[in-house]
Amino acid sequence: MKSPIGVFDSGYGGLTILKEIKNLLPQYDFIYLGDNARTPYGPRSFDTVYEYTLQSVKWLFAQNCPLIILACNTASAKALRTIQQKYLPGFDNQKRVLGVIRPTAEIIGKYSSSKKIGVLGTKGTVKSASYLIEIEKSFPGIKVFQHACPMWVPLVENNEYYSEGADFFIKKDIDILLKKSAEIDAVLLACTHYPLLLEKIKKHLPENIKVISQGNIVAKSLADYLQRHPEIEMKCSKNGTLEFYTTDSIEDFDKHSEIFFGEKVNSSHIDL
Ligand code: DGL
């Protein structure tokens, strides 16, 4: 039986990824789950992020998804490996869960000539050092400077991304990152919520510094994965449908999702 691909995020952020995936692979069916009731994940402990992510993964598997994308850096950093190595083998080794960190790390080097890259993410992502480890594997010559921006996700989730308050925190965090090295020539937005702040991020960064969002990178990597794994691809249904689920209010989700996803969304509520 063929079923939709699952896409998970702690809230709205993964919609910036799903938008690009859908543009590139419109023929597939997708189920999006946002754990808005418990967002943000960024400041939470390893165990909590693992527990919450696993609950969401279990729910998506219960909808029959053969493949789930953790469209959340924090969940990818803190839960993905344990899910892949400890949970999946005992549950169903025909199912797959993929994240957003490895595909990004595998390509990031081509954006920098100075070989100095800035990474902005949540506390959880930065603390996990996942980007340092993964970028080192693909581009050993590149030096990565990280900085956590704990205020950015709340600004986005509370629809304050256009406000003067957002400018204050964005400038403050960018200044801290750039003080770590004058040679940074590319900055990765290592949180799926941050593309919503793109305009302001660009405003506070020198023009010569490239800003990299992950949506496109993750979409291309998924397309490539499906091509390389026909045994998974053949289990993915293709009617071009989208379903959206949130653990919080559907009114809020439908109202705000349009900004992240670029089109109107009709969600349903679930409890995890
Ligand atoms: N969107 C998520 C990420 O990419 C995390 C947001 C949160 O803190 O929940 O890291």
Side-chain angles (χ1 to χ4, degrees):
M1 181 186 156
K2 292 179 190 271
S3 300
I5 296 171
V7 178
F8 166 72
D9 183 58
S10 61
Y12 298 117
L15 290 168
T16 62
I17 302 278
L18 179 58
K19 182 178 162 190
E20 301 295 336
I21 293 178
K22 198 204 132 232
N23 282 342
L24 194 65
L25 301 165
Q27 67 275 35
Y28 289 92
D29 298 326
F30 296 97
I31 296 184
Y32 183 88
L33 172 59
D35 190 8
N36 299 77
R38 303 187 291 196
T39 199
Y41 280 15
R44 296 187 191 274
S45 71
F46 181 96
D47 287 347
T48 306
V49 172
Y50 175 67
E51 200 42 53
Y52 288 179
T53 305
L54 183 60
Q55 286 170 8
S56 304
V57 161
K58 283 181 177 169
W59 185 84
L60 285 164
F61 280 149
Q63 313 314 302
N64 249 322
C65 297
L67 168 66
I68 296 171
I69 310 297
L70 300 185
C72 173
N73 286 271
T74 311
S76 299
K78 290 184 151 182
L80 179 61
R81 185 179 299 221
T82 319
I83 289 174
Q84 285 173 334
Q85 294 179 353
K86 301 229 165 90
Y87 175 71
L88 274 185
F91 169 70
D92 182 343
N93 58 17
Q94 304 299 310
K95 303 264 190 193
R96 294 289 179 272
V97 183
L98 304 173
V100 290
I101 295 179
R102 179 158 307 165
T104 309
E106 280 172 354
I107 205 169
I108 193 91
K110 75 166 202 195
Y111 293 94
S112 171
S113 328
S114 69
K115 299 198 184 313
K116 307 274 187 305
I117 289 177
V119 170
L120 297 170
T122 66
K123 265 190 184 163
T125 299
V126 166
K127 233 174 136 186
S128 76
S130 300
Y131 275 101
L132 299 183
I133 297 163
E134 292 298 329
I135 294 174
E136 169 72 20
K137 283 184 199 158
S138 299
F139 301 98
I142 286 192
K143 201 155 172 18
V144 178
F145 300 88
Q146 304 192 99
H147 176 62
C149 312
M151 288 304 290
W152 292 18
V153 170
L155 283 168
V156 172
E157 287 283 324
N158 292 295
N159 296 294
E160 288 290 339
Y161 47 87
Y162 51 81
S163 68
E164 282 176 26
D167 275 296
F168 174 83
F169 287 108
I170 290 168
K171 181 173 176 350
K172 184 176 161 205
D173 286 316
I174 283 177
D175 288 350
I176 295 173
L177 176 72
L178 296 185
K179 279 213 181 88
K180 294 179 192 241
S181 167
E183 288 178 70
I184 292 173
D185 65 350
V187 170
L188 169 67
L189 306 184
C191 173
T192 55
H193 282 67
Y194 296 175
L196 263 282
L197 302 167
L198 190 59
E199 218 175 280
K200 288 193 186 289
I201 293 169
K202 283 190 170 159
K203 178 171 139 195
H204 295 292
L205 268 175
E207 260 178 34
N208 63 315
I209 298 184
K210 291 179 216 82
V211 186
I212 304 147
S213 300
Q214 295 175 293
N216 205 14
I217 297 172
V218 174
K220 280 191 184 145
S221 148
L222 174 60
D224 180 54
Y225 179 89
L226 291 170
Q227 218 165 33
R228 285 184 293 111
H229 294 274
E231 75 287 2
I232 302 292
E233 200 280 340
M234 62 185 270
K235 293 183 195 153
C236 301
S237 54
K238 288 187 225 166
N239 304 299
T241 67
L242 294 163
E243 288 172 52
F244 297 88
Y245 295 87
T246 174
T247 55
D248 208 343
S249 136
I250 55 170
E251 287 76 20
D252 282 351
F253 192 88
D254 295 354
K255 194 165 144 208
H256 302 312
S257 288
E258 206 176 337
I259 307 153
F260 292 79
F261 192 59
E263 57 187 79
K264 267 218 159 323
V265 152
N266 273 319
S267 64
S268 306
H269 174 87
I270 60 144
D271 288 312
L272 286 173

